Amino acid sequence: MLTERHLEIFVALAEEEHFGAAAQRVGITQPPLSQGLRRLEALLGVRLFERERGVFLTEEGALLLPHARRALAALAELRETGAREHADGRRLRLGLAPEVPAPLAADVAAAPVRAGDRARISTVTAPSASLLSDVASGRLDLAVVRHPSVMHGLAAGQVVLLPTWILTPAGSATPAGPAGPDRPADSGGAAESGGAAESGGAAVRRLPVAVRPRGEAPAAHDLFVDTLASRGRRVETVVVADERAGLALVAAGQAVLVTADETLTASRVERRRATDPPLPLRLRVVWNPRRSGAASEDPAATARLLENALAEGAAR
């Protein structure tokens, strides 16, 4: 098995070009250094040094050297990071669904510290399904995920409803139902996937709704689409990687977008509150009650702090 010691021996010998000096640098005698080099060459299946007249790198050794240096530097950085985190004390690992607006996400992450918790906060942004898995496995301490979600034994706080806005291309026709706006079809053009309808004798084109992949939050995605379809009209969607991609489609006149981010907009994009039907972003704080970690002596209390921050954001 390739070890850090193998790389240390290789780099030292490459830079010193002398077995005795390399052994002294690594802190061992020459026989173990030679033995370690032979094991490394056997593992890689190549000869790394020419040894007949001095010690010089072979072509394969020269190719390996920058990679070995980077690997050793990365290991050193990893140890330093671990030492800093140990010195800093307890760490609180939070996960946030990407649908949470950035200003609110910052307030949520800062809530424990503002309440006097001395933990070091680290945050990750990932789809709800990934966050639930990470909380269950202990990679995260708490997470804010979309609701509804399958909990798999996790504890969860109250559902918080964030208001949302519908973003539509400027100049679109009056929205015709929850599926989004209809717009005049291009002359001689085919209807969008939502299908064409007649309005006062003029064909109109229904725009699809930009949504994130269903696999990121299956139950929440289905509830959203079912709510859009509650008025008896078929809903067409287009999958986007994130809200920025959705906004680009709106600006291009090719989709509508529902977002909880009150700052998300672009030129030639119109915004209106999503009230007919209401399409709130449903969020919950989740944690694993079976894992008592360094994160919090009372994860339920920490969860309430996050939940309160969400509720305050929803009320603004």
Side-chain angles (χ1 to χ4, degrees):
M1 181 178 67
L2 182 65
T3 66
E4 183 179 5
R5 175 61 83 183
H6 288 136
L7 296 180
E8 289 174 341
I9 289 172
F10 168 70
V11 172
L13 189 55
E15 293 177 350
E16 299 292 341
E17 296 184 339
H18 187 278
F19 276 91
Q24 184 176 7
R25 172 171 157 180
V26 177
I28 58 177
T29 60
Q30 187 171 329
L33 182 135
S34 299
Q35 185 180 38
L37 177 59
R38 286 195 297 271
R39 287 178 178 172
L40 176 60
E41 290 179 325
L43 282 169
L44 299 178
V46 296
R47 189 174 179 83
L48 298 173
F49 291 93
E50 296 289 353
R51 303 173 176 84
E52 293 181 358
R53 296 181 180 179
V55 183
F56 303 102
L57 285 169
T58 63
E59 183 177 348
E60 292 81 3
L63 290 173
L64 175 63
L65 183 57
H67 298 287
R69 285 170 170 160
R70 284 197 294 270
L72 290 174
L75 289 169
E77 183 180 357
L78 181 62
R79 281 193 293 271
E80 290 175 5
T81 300
R84 284 197 303 270
E85 291 188 354
H86 181 74
D88 289 342
R90 191 164 51 85
R91 186 165 60 124
L92 182 60
R93 302 163 299 173
L94 303 178
L96 296 163
E99 295 84 359
V100 181
L104 179 56
D107 286 340
V108 169
V113 175
R114 291 172 179 172
D117 195 325
R118 298 176 62 87
R120 184 168 176 265
I121 305 296
S122 66
T123 63
V124 298
T125 300
S128 292
S130 299
L131 295 177
L132 290 165
S133 175
D134 287 346
V135 171
S137 67
R139 289 188 292 270
L140 290 174
D141 301 308
L142 300 99
V144 177
V145 301
R146 292 182 64 186
H147 172 80
S149 294
V150 179
M151 293 290 110
H152 294 300
L154 298 179
Q158 297 295 314
V159 178
V160 178
L161 306 182
L162 295 187
T164 59
W165 286 259
I166 297 178
L167 276 56
T168 61
S172 297
T174 302
D182 293 343
R183 65 176 183 178
D186 295 334
S187 177
E192 292 277 2
S193 57
E198 294 295 327
S199 176
V204 294
R205 178 175 294 175
R206 188 182 309 160
L207 294 176
V209 181
V211 296
R212 297 177 67 92
R214 180 180 181 275
E216 293 188 359
H221 176 281
D222 291 346
L223 176 60
F224 175 78
V225 173
D226 289 346
T227 303
L228 286 175
S230 62
R231 303 302 172 84
R233 294 183 59 175
R234 188 163 61 95
V235 177
E236 296 294 337
T237 60
V238 57
V239 176
V240 293
D242 51 37
E243 289 190 341
R244 292 179 63 181
L247 179 62
L249 290 184
V250 177
Q254 297 176 3
V256 299
L257 176 70
V258 179
T259 177
D261 188 347
E262 62 183 358
T263 67
L264 189 68
T265 190
S267 60
R268 298 190 59 79
V269 170
E270 296 176 351
R271 298 169 54 92
R272 65 179 176 86
R273 254 342 217 312
T275 57
D276 186 22
L279 297 166
L281 175 61
R282 297 172 170 86
L283 299 172
R284 296 182 87 175
V285 181
V286 299
W287 67 95
N288 191 339
R290 297 182 298 277
R291 287 185 175 272
S292 60
S296 176
E297 296 179 357
D298 186 358
T302 304
R304 285 192 293 272
L305 293 174
L306 306 187
E307 186 179 299
N308 290 339
L310 286 173
E312 291 173 5
R316 286 198 289 266

